[in-house]
Amino acid sequence: VATEEETLFIAYNANPEAVVIDLPQVAEWRVYIDGDKAQTTALRKLTKKNSQVEIQGISCLAAVCK
């Protein structure tokens, strides 16, 4: 989902096994939901150099790029 101000990336892994995905390459993604962890401040940051992310089985990931 994209607006003029930010892009929201949400991925849900319905498989019981973990999967690795490539996020679109932008300057920086801020991860707010990762598996069973969620915060109003970023849990971690991903850059172009580390844009691959593992999503655990039966969980999701939500990241924002501003």
Side-chain angles (χ1 to χ4, degrees):
V1 178
T3 67
E4 291 180 19
E5 297 174 7
E6 62 189 14
T7 300
L8 175 63
F9 183 90
I10 298 175
Y12 181 74
N13 179 10
N15 297 308
E17 305 86 24
V19 296
V20 175
I21 62 167
D22 291 315
L23 291 173
Q25 291 194 348
V26 297
E28 180 180 87
W29 287 102
R30 294 180 181 180
V31 177
Y32 290 90
I33 300 172
D34 190 3
D36 62 352
K37 298 178 186 85
Q39 292 184 177
T40 57
T41 57
L43 293 165
R44 61 186 167 129
K45 296 177 183 177
L46 302 170
T47 63
K48 285 183 181 181
K49 292 181 181 179
N50 67 340
S51 62
Q52 279 194 339
V53 65
E54 182 177 287
I55 303 174
Q56 295 301 316
I58 318 294
S59 69
C60 71
L61 174 113
V64 174
C65 173
K66 292 187 178 191

